[in-house]
Structure formats: C-alpha cells, structure tokens
C-alpha cells in the first residue's frame, strides 16, 4: 500500500515536541511491515543541510502567493522524503511555527502540495493511495482533496494535540485558495473563522488520535470546542497509542549517557546520576530521591502543580530537576525556585536533546502532571529508562502507567504513580506515595523492573494503522 505522511516536524531535523519523534518512527515502522510509505515535509534549512536532495518531481509557478515552489524527492535514512521547496515560506531561520504573518499560507502550501501528490502523483508516477496528515498544519489537505474533484486518495487525519487548531480570519479565504462554497460548517468554517484542524476533521475519511482515552476525552469536555464534531464522527475516530523508537530511546545503546545499562546490569545506571546532578547544578547527593520533569512549559502540562510542590519536595529530602522551555512566567517561577533552594532544585531552561536523555537515566521519579495529554512520550521514555513515572490520570498517561496501590503491588502490575485531581494537593499526595515507596528499595526495584520490561514498541501501533487504512472503502 502506498501512503504519504504529511507533517510540519521530523526528528532529528525539526522538532518542538512529540510530533517530531512520532514522525521519525511511525513511517519507518510501517515500512518495516512492508508498506510503501513516504513523507512530505517543508524543505526547512535544517533538512536541506542534512539530507541529500534528489531530483525535482513537481513544480508550481506560484503556490499560495509565496512564489515558485518545487517538490524534491530526497532520501532520509530509511525513508523517502518529499521536500516542499518554497524559499519564501520555508527557507528561514527559527522554529516551524514562527513568523505568524504568513503562518496560514505556509501550511496551506504544504497541504496543497500534498493534495497535488495525492491526485496527480509525482513525475515518476508514484501516487499515494492514502494521504495521512498530522495536526492542524495539514488540516486543509482533506479540504483541497475534496474540493479539487477527480480521482482522489483516501485521507486520514491524526490529532496529536487538539488544543492547537490553526484558526484564521474568514477574510483569508481567497488567499488560502479555498473555494467560497467550502466556507460552511460542513467545510472549513468554525465560528465565523477558517479553522484548519476542523476542516481536516470534518472532511478526512478517518480520524485517529494518539491514545484510546484521549479519543474519548475529545468527544466530551476535552475537545476544545470540537467535541460536537468528534462525537458526530465517532465511528470514524480511533485512538492508537504511540510507541517508543527503540533505536533512539534505549538505555542499552544511548550515546548521550556516560554509562549504558539494561535490566541485567542495573548498577550501570548509577554513574549517570552524578553527571546529571552536576549539569543541573544539584548537589551530588547519592541517596536523595531525584524527581525530574522534561517538558514544554505550557499550561496544559500542569507544571504549576510542580511549582506548588517545590517546598514540599525539598522538605521531604528530595531533589527536583526541571528541563523545559516555553511560558516565560513559568520559566521565571522555576528560576526563582532554584534560587531559593540552591543545590536541591536545578533548572535548565533550554531545549537540549542530550540533557533530556540524561534526565531519564538519572531520575528516580519522572513527573508528568498534565491537565491534558493526548499520548505523552516522556512517561514512556521514563519507563524504559527506569525512572518511575508519576502522572495525572488523563489521556495517554492513563493508558500507559499503572499506579501503585495495595492491589497493583500485590498482583505485580504497578509501574508508577497516578493521581486524579489537577491541583497541587493531589500531586503532593502522589509525591508522598513515591517518597514512601522509595524507603522500600526492594519494592521500588520491582516496580522499576516492571516498567523497564513493559513493551511500547511501534510494531503493534503500525499494524493498527495499516488495518485502518485497509478498511477505508475505495473512492
Ligand atoms: P509534547 O509533544 O506535548 O511536547 P511528548 O511527551 O509527546 O509531549 O513529547 C515531548 C518530546 O519533547 C520528548 O521527546 C521530550 O524529550 C522532548 N522535550 C520536551 N522539552 C524538552 C527540552 N527542554 N529539551 C529536550 N527535549 C525536550
Ligand atoms: C502531541 C501531544 C503528546 C503526544 C505527541 C505525539 O504533541 O501533546 O501528548 O505524545 O503529540 O503524538
């Protein structure tokens, strides 16, 4: 089966969060199952520098008013890659979502190029049977496919985060090349605006999201305004859990660690701790329970609950390490916490891939207290690296961590800690539970061992996507 993935991020070139990780892993996992998967991404400078660019397979004199554009066929390791080369939109420094003035047009251009490949194929005659778009930047793709007429591929939209929707003023309709008749509730219109994600969710043949629990939540209170549409389309909506890319996130082979380890050699985990503590400005205390988080600092990540618990953690004898960037207010609050508790609270307010790997290898407890979490990859990395996840019971966090309780300890199923209510007190109770278990090192090791043996590979999820593609009736 021929499938074209379309996305705005791709690790290791361009990544702002888990989307980049998933885009690097899932297409390759599908290829390993025999599917002919290719991917279309913008020709960002970071990709052009890293990937040998092949030949031109499509050209447009002008795309969305951004001037001439071409599609180049390149080859990333193990993945054929189409690059949308449109210098006016994509050949710039900065993150993929910077430059707000033409944000709508640049991702409309990506969606248009994808729809073109879907209808006409490339110059070599390769034409996808399925177009699979990810998140709001690709939301117009099913719209361009639907409004373009003629033979068309099946379309699938995956929601990685419904909080980001791509809403733009209705006045942009013409410059986004959307026909007037598309501006209805059955098309791209959403409360008087153009909404990219809504268009995709309305018009795609199938919708997926990244965990079964989140698939339910977004049909109800967690839908950020799109719950009605998703409830209406519930027969076309599926939650498929993300996996872990074991070539990248594997403590046995991880080049970012000073000491690589696995379940057979748990003692080799230990040397990673003082290195990380030093890099975080923490005392090299070998026995203090080390709590860590690695996260975008965004209100939905619930890190204000961690801020509420800084003094609680320190007075309980713990250390806290925070690796994150984002909301300047949260950054300032964490910086102050570190100043208040030198050597006990360490903050690293930058994006640093290596530090993230070292955090998972050093921490005793990894906190993800999200208000909402579509899937969450960090708690999966924590499980694989032997840091016990402490999570709020929501979305993918609920689906992947089994909280410690008398029952789960008795039947050997616990892999971490969970709490329900999104407030500092409830997180504090879960912290107490973790501090309590930490005193019992045999029980702790048992929970840690179970987490490290839990399988979160990509093979099962990839097969679920293949089954979903295969079940879409031919157009
Ligand atoms: P989200 O996509 O919502 O940010 P995920 O848990 O799916 O959440 O993925 C987050 C990804 O971003 C993980 O790979 C995590 O390691 C990484 N990450 C987040 N913040 C940082 C940071 N400051 N430095 C390095 N990596 C980070
Ligand atoms: C989003 C979500 C996160 C998910 C990731 C990859 O960024 O916030 O929960 O793991 O996408 O699907």
């Amino acid at each position: 089966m021929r499938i074209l993935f379309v996305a705005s991020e791709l690790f290791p070139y361009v990544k702002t969060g888990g989307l980049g990780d998933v885009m690097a892993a899932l297409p390759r996992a599908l290829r390993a199952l025999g599917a002919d998967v290719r991917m279309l991404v913008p020709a960002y400078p970071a990709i052009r520098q890293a990937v040998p660019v092949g030949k031109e397979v499509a050209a447009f004199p002008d795309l969305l008013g951004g001037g001439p554009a071409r599609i180049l066929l390149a080859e990333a390791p193990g993945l054929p890659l189409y690059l949308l080369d449109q210098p006016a939109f994509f050949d710039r420094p900065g993150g993929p979502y910077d430059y707000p003035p033409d944000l709508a047009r640049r991702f409309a251009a990506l969606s248009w190029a994808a729809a073109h490949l879907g209808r006409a194929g490339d110059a070599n005659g390769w034409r996808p049977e399925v177009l699979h778009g990810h998140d709001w930047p690709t939301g117009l793709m099913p719209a361009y496919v639907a409004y373009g007429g003629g033979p068309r591929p099946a379309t699938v939209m995956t929601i990685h985060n419904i909080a980001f929707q791509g809403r733009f003023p209705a006045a942009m309709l013409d410059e986004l090349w959307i026909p007037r008749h598309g501006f209805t509730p059955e098309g791209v219109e959403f409360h008087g605006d153009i909404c990219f994600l809504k268009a995709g969710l309305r018009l795609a043949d199938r919708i997926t999201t990244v965990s079964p629990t989140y698939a339910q939540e977004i049909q109800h209170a967690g839908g950020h305004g799109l719950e009605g549409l998703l409830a209406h389309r519930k027969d076309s909506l599926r939650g498929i859990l993300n996996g872990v890319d074991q070539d990248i996130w594997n403590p046995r082979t991880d080049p970012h660690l000073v000491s690589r380890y696995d379940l057979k050699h748990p003692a080799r985990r230990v040397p990673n701790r003082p290195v990380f503590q030093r890099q975080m400005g923490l005392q090299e205390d070998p026995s203090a329970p080390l709590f860590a988080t690695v996260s975008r600092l965004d209100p939905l990540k619930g890190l204000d609950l961690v801020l509420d618990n800084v003094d609680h953690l320190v007075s309980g004898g713990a250390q806290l390490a925070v690796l994150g960037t984002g909301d300047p207010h949260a950054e300032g609050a964490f910086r102050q916490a570190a100043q208040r508790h030198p050597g006990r609270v360490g903050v690293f307010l930058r994006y640093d891939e290596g530090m993230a790997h070292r955090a998972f290898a050093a921490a005793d407890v990894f906190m993800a207290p999200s208000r909402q979490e579509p899937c969450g990859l960090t708690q999966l990395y924590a499980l694989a690296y032997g840091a016990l996840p402490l999570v709020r019971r929501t979305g993918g966090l609920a689906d992947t961590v089994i909280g410690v309780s008398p029952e789960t300890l008795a039947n050997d199923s616990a892999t971490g800690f969970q709490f329900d209510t999104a407030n500092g007190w409830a997180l504090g109770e879960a912290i107490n539970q973790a501090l309590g278990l930490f005193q019992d090192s045999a029980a702790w090791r048992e929970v840690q061992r179970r987490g490290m043996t839990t399988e979160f590979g990509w093979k099962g999820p990839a097969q679920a996507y293949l089954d979903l593609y295969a079940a879409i009736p031919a157009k």
Side-chain angles (χ1 to χ4, degrees):
M1 183 179 278
R2 294 181 307 279
I3 301 145
L4 183 68
F5 267 54
V6 189
S8 52
E9 299 187 23
L10 175 61
F11 175 84
Y13 317 111
V14 178
K15 161 176 167 181
T16 71
L19 175 64
D21 288 356
V22 172
M23 291 304 98
L26 175 56
R28 290 180 173 97
L30 287 162
R31 288 183 68 82
L33 293 177
D36 182 2
V37 180
R38 301 183 180 191
M39 186 159 181
L40 171 69
V41 290
Y44 301 117
I47 299 189
R48 294 198 64 134
Q49 280 153 24
V51 173
V53 168
K55 76 178 205 23
E56 180 180 307
V57 292
F60 312 92
D62 173 67
L63 198 54
L64 276 297
R70 314 182 287 166
I71 299 176
L72 307 168
L73 182 55
E75 184 81 33
L79 181 66
L81 206 56
Y82 292 106
L83 300 180
L84 176 58
D85 177 30
Q86 191 174 21
F89 282 161
F90 299 114
D91 191 7
R92 313 155 155 187
Y97 314 113
D98 296 348
Y99 304 96
D102 61 16
L103 192 63
R105 283 191 302 142
R106 64 202 313 219
F107 289 119
L110 178 68
S111 302
W112 181 276
H116 172 85
L117 284 176
R119 275 201 307 269
D122 72 7
N124 303 324
W126 190 88
R127 193 162 77 87
E129 293 154 278
V130 180
L131 285 177
H132 189 162
H134 298 268
D135 269 352
W136 77 265
T138 61
L140 287 187
M141 177 179 77
Y144 293 137
V145 167
Y147 301 143
R152 73 175 196 82
T155 50
V156 178
M157 277 302 298
T158 294
I159 305 167
H160 295 264
N161 195 330
I162 204 161
F164 301 109
Q165 302 183 347
R167 267 176 87 156
F168 301 99
M172 293 186 77
L173 207 59
D174 292 343
E175 59 181 297
L176 292 177
W177 295 9
I178 300 167
R180 290 287 162 101
H181 66 83
F183 193 68
T184 68
E186 284 69 48
V188 307
E189 190 266 345
F190 188 55
H191 298 293
D193 287 335
I194 298 164
C195 178
F196 282 30
L197 183 63
K198 186 259 161 143
L201 301 183
R202 185 69 195 78
L203 296 165
D205 296 309
R206 292 288 184 280
I207 303 167
T208 77
T209 189
V210 286
S211 72
T213 295
Y214 194 63
Q216 292 304 316
E217 290 171 355
I218 56 177
Q219 296 178 47
H220 303 100
H224 293 257
L226 290 165
E227 52 279 349
L229 168 58
L230 289 165
H232 176 69
R233 296 217 59 198
K234 66 175 188 306
D235 294 339
S236 303
L237 166 65
R238 270 203 62 192
I240 301 175
L241 211 54
N242 286 330
V244 170
D245 187 338
Q246 278 146 355
D247 292 337
I248 307 284
W249 294 97
N250 185 342
R252 189 180 300 151
T253 54
D254 193 329
H256 296 294
L257 309 186
V258 285
S259 177
R260 288 172 265 287
Y261 60 97
D262 57 23
L263 262 181
K264 287 204 205 88
H265 309 94
R268 294 185 190 163
R269 186 174 192 263
V270 178
N272 291 298
R273 181 183 166 99
V275 174
F276 179 69
Q277 284 171 318
R278 213 173 308 137
Q279 290 181 322
M280 292 299 296
L282 293 167
Q283 292 160 4
E284 286 174 43
D285 183 337
S287 57
L290 174 53
F291 286 65
T293 191
V294 176
S295 182
R296 292 183 291 111
L297 301 181
D298 172 297
L300 286 177
K301 294 287 183 186
L303 294 172
D304 50 315
L305 311 188
V306 173
L307 279 166
D308 289 346
N309 276 284
V310 168
D311 296 348
H312 180 63
L313 280 163
V314 172
S315 65
Q319 290 186 330
L320 171 65
V322 177
L323 174 59
T325 53
D327 175 22
H329 180 76
E331 289 193 1
F334 277 117
R335 206 172 280 124
Q336 276 176 15
Q339 280 159 4
R340 244 187 13 255
H341 300 290
R344 306 307 290 178
V345 175
V347 298
F348 196 94
L349 303 173
R350 266 175 298 175
Y351 188 92
D352 187 306
E353 201 66 30
M355 283 298 276
H357 286 247
R358 288 188 285 280
F360 296 111
D364 296 304
V365 180
F366 180 83
M367 290 188 288
S370 307
R371 292 201 157 72
Q372 264 199 309
E373 195 61 71
C375 178
L377 295 171
T378 53
Q379 83 280 11
L380 302 181
Y381 302 155
L383 286 168
Y385 280 65
L388 272 52
L390 187 169
V391 304
R392 199 169 93 74
R393 198 177 278 112
T394 182
L397 300 174
D399 292 341
T400 55
V401 176
I402 299 172
V404 161
S405 71
E407 300 80 61
T408 58
L409 283 178
N411 67 17
D412 284 343
S413 59
T415 58
F417 309 94
Q418 287 195 326
F419 67 102
D420 280 299
T421 314
N423 65 31
W425 183 85
L427 172 60
E429 289 288 290
I431 288 172
N432 290 343
Q433 196 185 26
L435 291 172
L437 192 75
F438 195 74
Q439 303 304 319
D440 181 349
S441 51
W444 187 274
R445 276 199 303 274
E446 217 13 62
V447 177
Q448 182 186 45
R449 189 193 57 76
R450 223 160 14 246
M452 290 178 77
T453 45
T454 311
E455 265 295 319
F456 285 107
W458 269 109
K459 193 169 174 204
Q463 186 59 53
Y465 281 103
L466 281 186
D467 295 346
L468 178 127
Y469 302 142
I472 305 174
K475 294 286 149 327

